């Protein structure tokens, strides 16, 4: 994924635009196929980012309600997704969390920088307590797992063949390995974007990879034995692990920190997602584009934020009739992004391998090996993400994410077919962006302004 980040940083530096990922795809495809792939990935990206917020809200709700299991509260009907009262509780809390995350996005821009700073402080505190306080608590209670268990023990709870069961471990980690294209979505609001946005892509992946790997190994040492682990009945078992290691009071502290961090993380994700939706609407692709693509007096896409709220609130309502339905919908969130990462690399390899040479992160002679590695790796992750997780598979365990992705892809193709070329991604616009992307850098960031000006020249009417 480091290599994937380098590939995206290369094109991000050359084309630092809001809604970046579908523009990167279109330009990577070259003039002939740009509109087709641009439409498809625009739909993929909107699906991914709009479902992420709802999924994150339910994740946060699971942390909060897991305290009921810690304190052994007798919930009517029991704690479980087969209980409609329980699902209603999860739904209500999730909707409230979504409202808070959306409300933060309505703050004045000058205040929002403080939200980023507070978010980073909470993430750092959570990480510090996890690597210091948790191990101390484990050492004083149930004790650490052995190195043999951590590095050699396997468990097949899926019914899949042993090799594929091991591969399915990526299902849990792949979600944290994507989404780093977010810094590209806010590039038009970033100073010296051709450098800063690309650097943000790379540094976020490095931080996630290095610190995430260290944390994963630590957590493996800190988890109780498998019998105890599988007996934990909370929606978020880690809350009960905190309780076992740190006591009930300690679990409350860690749950509060994790929940606040997740709420702020959701709010930050909405920043990136709303800019993507704004950019797609600005170009006239979405229904009600003329309204969604407007900005307020502070030049903020508040209407796009409102769309995020309406979509997320509606998506969360699917928790009520069926948790399986909701899980299937949000499971499709990361898959389009993984597919887009691999597609961009494939198009760079086959269509435009010698373009974007002005990028601050131009890969030079390493570019083709990097493109190949990115295609292969993301194809593997994609295959894992669309795989069923329980074998043999029936209607209850089928992974509907592939069906959802196929439906979204058809919507993108239909949009490409029916929306006239003069409405979005005209050929001359694509050619102009390719020329600008290959212009020598003048040292003052002028190429970013030129790209943005070219991109918006056909859609000023929507502003």
């Amino acid at each position: 994924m480091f290599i994937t980040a380098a590939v995206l940083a290369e094109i991000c530096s050359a084309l630092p635009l809001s809604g970046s990922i579908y523009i990167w795809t279109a330009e990577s495809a070259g003039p002939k196929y740009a509109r087709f792939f641009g439409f498809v990935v625009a739909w993929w990206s909107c699906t991914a980012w709009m479902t992420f917020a709802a999924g994150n809200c339910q994740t946060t709700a699971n942390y909060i309600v897991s305290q009921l299991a810690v304190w052994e509260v007798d919930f009517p009907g029991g704690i479980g997704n087969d209980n409609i009262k329980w699902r209603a509780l999860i739904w209500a809390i999730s909707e409230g969390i979504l409202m808070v995350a959306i409300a933060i996005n309505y703050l004045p821009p000058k205040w929002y920088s403080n939200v980023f700073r507070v978010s980073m402080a909470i993430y750092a505190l959570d990480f510090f307590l996890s690597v210091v306080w948790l191990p101390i608590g484990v050492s004083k209670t149930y004790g650490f797992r052995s190195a043999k268990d951590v590095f050699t023990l396997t468990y097949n709870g899926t019914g899949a063949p042993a090799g594929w069961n091991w591969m399915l471990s990526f299902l849990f980690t792949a979600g944290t390995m994507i989404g780093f294209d977010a810094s590209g979505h806010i590039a038009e609001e970033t100073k010296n974007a051709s450098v800063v946005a690309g650097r943000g892509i790379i540094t976020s992946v490095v931080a996630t990879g290095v610190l995430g790997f260290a944390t994963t190994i630590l957590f493996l040492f800190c988890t109780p034995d498998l019998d105890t682990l599988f007996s934990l009945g909370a929606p978020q078992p880690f809350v009960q692990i905190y309780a076992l290691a740190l006591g009930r009071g300690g679990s409350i502290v860690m749950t509060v920190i994790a929940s606040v961090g997740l709420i702020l993380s959701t709010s930050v994700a909405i920043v990136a997602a709303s800019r993507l939706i704004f950019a797609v609407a600005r170009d006239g692709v979405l229904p009600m584009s003329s309204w969604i693509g407007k900005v307020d007096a502070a030049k903020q896409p508040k209407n796009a934020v409102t769309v995020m709220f309406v979509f997320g609130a509606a998506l969360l309502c699917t928790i009520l009739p069926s948790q399986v339905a909701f899980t299937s919908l949000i499971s499709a969130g990361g898959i389009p992004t993984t597919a887009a990462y691999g597609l961009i690399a494939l198009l760079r390899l086959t269509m435009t391998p010698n373009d974007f040479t002005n990028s601050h992160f131009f890969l030079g002679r390493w570019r083709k090996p990097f493109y190949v590695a990115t295609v292969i790796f993301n194809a593997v992750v994609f295959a894992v993400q669309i795989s069923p997780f329980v074998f043999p598979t029936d209607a209850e365990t089928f992974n509907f994410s592939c069906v959802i992705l196929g439906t979204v892809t058809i919507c993108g193709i239909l949009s490409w077919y029916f929306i006239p070329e003069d409405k979005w991604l005209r050929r001359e616009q694509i050619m102009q962006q390719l020329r600008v992307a290959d212009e020598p850098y003048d040292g003052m960031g002028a190429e970013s302004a030129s790209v943005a000006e070219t991109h918006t020249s056909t859609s000023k009417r929507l502003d």
Side-chain angles (χ1 to χ4, degrees):
M1 198 55 84
F2 294 167
I3 294 175
T4 301
V7 171
L8 294 187
E10 178 186 51
I11 192 169
C12 176
S13 178
L15 295 167
L17 295 166
S18 293
S20 49
I21 193 166
Y22 73 87
I23 297 297
W24 300 342
T25 307
E27 299 299 328
S28 296
K32 185 176 181 179
Y33 300 104
R35 291 190 75 252
F36 176 82
F37 288 109
F39 269 98
V40 170
V41 173
W43 277 83
W44 284 0
S45 299
C46 287
T47 301
W49 281 96
M50 291 177 74
T51 56
F52 174 80
N56 229 25
C57 290
Q58 196 217 18
T59 299
T60 310
N62 284 342
Y63 264 94
I64 296 172
V65 300
S66 292
Q67 282 294 326
L68 297 179
V70 171
W71 293 90
E72 300 178 354
V73 175
D74 186 17
F75 188 84
I79 296 176
N81 290 327
D82 56 343
N83 180 5
I84 180 61
K85 294 180 180 179
W86 178 257
R87 295 202 304 272
L89 176 64
I90 296 290
W91 168 77
I93 295 175
S94 300
E95 293 282 11
I97 291 169
L98 178 63
M99 290 181 186
V100 173
I102 290 290
I104 294 174
N105 276 263
Y106 288 121
L107 293 174
K110 63 180 180 180
W111 292 6
Y112 206 80
S113 60
N114 293 325
V115 174
F116 281 101
R117 295 188 180 96
V118 171
S119 300
M120 290 302 301
I122 291 176
Y123 304 154
L125 176 62
D126 193 359
F127 178 78
F128 177 77
L129 292 177
S130 295
V131 300
V132 176
W133 192 20
L134 179 62
I136 292 174
V138 170
S139 68
K140 295 181 178 180
T141 52
Y142 55 81
F144 296 107
R145 301 291 293 275
S146 68
K148 181 179 180 181
D149 282 353
V150 169
F151 294 107
T152 66
L153 181 64
T154 62
Y155 176 81
N156 190 337
T158 66
W164 193 247
N165 179 73
W166 186 88
M167 290 297 296
L168 286 172
S169 64
F170 279 113
L171 189 68
F172 289 99
T173 59
T176 64
M177 292 193 293
I178 61 176
F180 47 83
D181 54 294
S183 61
H185 298 319
I186 58 173
E188 290 180 23
E189 302 170 66
T190 304
K191 295 180 180 178
N192 194 20
S194 59
V195 176
V196 176
R199 187 169 60 208
I201 289 175
I202 293 176
T203 55
S204 64
V205 176
V206 171
T208 300
V210 174
L211 299 180
F213 178 78
T215 306
T216 299
I217 298 300
L218 176 66
F219 285 169
L220 287 173
F221 275 104
C222 290
T223 55
D225 62 86
L226 292 182
D227 290 337
T228 302
L229 184 64
F230 293 143
S231 69
L232 302 179
Q236 176 47 263
F238 230 94
V239 172
Q240 288 182 289
I241 293 177
Y242 287 140
L244 291 173
L246 307 174
R248 289 180 172 180
S251 75
I252 291 177
V253 173
M254 294 301 292
T255 299
V256 169
I257 293 173
S259 299
V260 173
L262 280 166
I263 291 172
L264 294 177
S265 172
T266 304
S267 179
V268 172
I270 291 171
V271 173
S274 61
R275 272 58 179 178
L276 171 65
I277 295 167
F278 159 77
V280 176
R282 178 182 62 184
D283 294 334
V285 178
L286 299 177
M288 300 175 61
S289 287
S290 59
W291 179 77
I292 300 173
K294 287 183 178 179
V295 295
D296 62 10
K299 303 298 182 182
Q300 300 299 302
K302 294 295 177 64
N303 292 347
V305 174
T306 301
V307 170
M308 284 289 299
F309 171 69
V310 174
F311 182 87
L315 188 60
L316 285 170
C317 288
T318 61
I319 294 174
L320 294 173
S322 170
Q323 179 64 36
V324 174
F326 177 76
T327 302
S328 295
L329 287 171
I330 64 171
S331 69
I335 293 171
T337 306
T338 303
Y341 290 172
L343 179 60
I344 289 172
L346 179 63
L347 294 174
R348 291 286 288 124
L349 176 68
T350 58
M351 301 294 190
T352 55
N354 300 315
D355 290 338
F356 311 117
T357 55
N358 79 315
S359 172
H360 287 276
F361 300 93
F362 183 60
L363 297 174
R365 64 179 181 176
W366 292 100
R367 62 189 186 280
K368 290 186 178 181
F370 273 36
Y371 300 155
V372 172
T374 298
V375 171
I376 294 174
F377 177 75
N378 284 278
V380 170
V381 174
F382 178 84
V384 170
Q385 287 178 319
I386 65 172
S387 168
F389 193 54
V390 177
F391 295 83
T393 302
D394 55 25
E396 288 293 319
T397 58
F398 181 72
N399 188 344
F400 287 92
S401 57
C402 55
V403 178
I404 296 171
L405 180 63
T407 303
V408 172
T409 302
I410 291 172
C411 290
I413 294 172
L414 291 176
S415 297
W416 164 76
Y417 184 80
F418 287 108
I419 294 179
E421 184 175 338
D422 61 346
K423 295 293 185 181
W424 194 57
L425 286 180
R426 292 183 296 114
R427 181 179 176 86
E428 56 267 30
Q429 182 184 7
I430 295 164
M431 293 297 296
Q432 175 64 13
Q433 287 184 349
L434 283 170
R435 285 193 295 269
V436 171
D438 286 327
E439 288 176 358
Y441 176 61
D442 63 6
M444 297 299 290
E447 84 290 359
S448 297
S450 178
V451 170
E453 181 179 358
T454 299
H455 178 63
T456 57
S457 62
T458 61
S459 52
K460 288 183 178 179
R461 67 187 187 282
L462 298 180
D463 295 334

